[in-house]
Amino acid sequence: MISATIDQEIKKAMLAKDAAKLRGLRAIKAALLLARTEKGSSEEVTEDAELKILQKLIKQRKESSDIYKQQGREDLALVEDEEIEVIGNFLPKQLDKAEVEAIILSIIKESGASSMKDMGKVVGLANKELAGKADGKLIAEIVKAQLA
């Protein structure tokens, strides 16, 4: 579980006076605490849910970084990029486009999908298999290209 290691990493970052790492770790901890309190204090957040939360945090920071870069605020974009790097360390290794494409092609063959009508089914299966390993947007793009 990611939440178990976050507290230890926060202590290490505090001792090392690593402000960028500390910011990213605190963002993760806050998001996990929020998720835990939303569902009720008796339920633990599953590992899959933790991965989805981390992916959401990275997506938010990428969007913010892009906006800052468009507006010429490289200083603020750098802060977001540092946090992306810290959060990304807790995610499984991301697959590259060729690996994702190969997996999606096998899913299409197994499911017998042949047209855009089957896109929802294929994307659902691909999201299950590639959870935490690939961006949902990339998955959708590849499925669309293969079924078109």
Side-chain angles (χ1 to χ4, degrees):
M1 297 288 278
I2 296 167
S3 54
T5 59
I6 293 294
D7 289 331
Q8 296 166 350
E9 292 295 320
I10 287 175
K11 288 176 188 172
K12 288 178 189 174
M14 286 176 144
L15 290 172
K17 297 187 186 332
D18 187 347
K21 188 172 185 179
L22 192 57
R23 244 190 346 266
L25 292 169
R26 284 182 173 157
I28 294 169
K29 185 173 182 173
L32 292 175
L33 280 171
L34 185 64
R36 200 172 297 128
T37 56
E38 278 178 354
K39 295 186 181 231
S41 58
S42 62
E43 281 190 43
E44 268 302 307
V45 179
T46 64
E47 206 163 329
D48 285 342
E50 286 180 341
L51 290 176
K52 285 180 184 173
I53 290 169
L54 294 181
Q55 286 177 319
K56 182 178 176 185
L57 291 174
I58 287 179
K59 183 179 178 186
Q60 289 171 341
R61 278 153 183 76
K62 280 182 183 175
E63 289 171 356
S64 297
S65 178
D66 291 344
I67 291 169
Y68 290 143
K69 286 175 184 170
Q70 288 172 3
Q71 296 176 347
R73 295 295 310 265
E74 294 298 323
D75 56 329
L76 296 175
L78 179 67
V79 170
E80 299 294 334
D81 292 338
E82 289 172 342
E83 288 184 22
I84 289 170
E85 188 176 322
V86 172
I87 297 167
N89 290 334
F90 291 94
L91 284 174
K93 180 189 164 289
Q94 297 292 296
L95 300 175
D96 64 11
K97 189 173 181 173
E99 293 171 317
V100 173
E101 209 166 294
I103 292 170
I104 289 175
L105 282 172
S106 71
I107 290 172
I108 290 172
K109 282 181 185 174
E110 289 171 17
S111 66
S114 59
S115 67
M116 288 301 286
K117 288 187 229 172
D118 302 319
M119 184 173 173
K121 179 172 72 171
V122 174
V123 169
L125 292 169
N127 281 336
K128 250 184 218 170
E129 191 166 325
L130 297 168
K133 297 176 188 169
D135 182 42
K137 189 175 180 182
L138 175 66
I139 292 170
E141 284 175 13
I142 292 172
V143 170
K144 191 173 187 177
Q146 295 297 325
L147 294 178

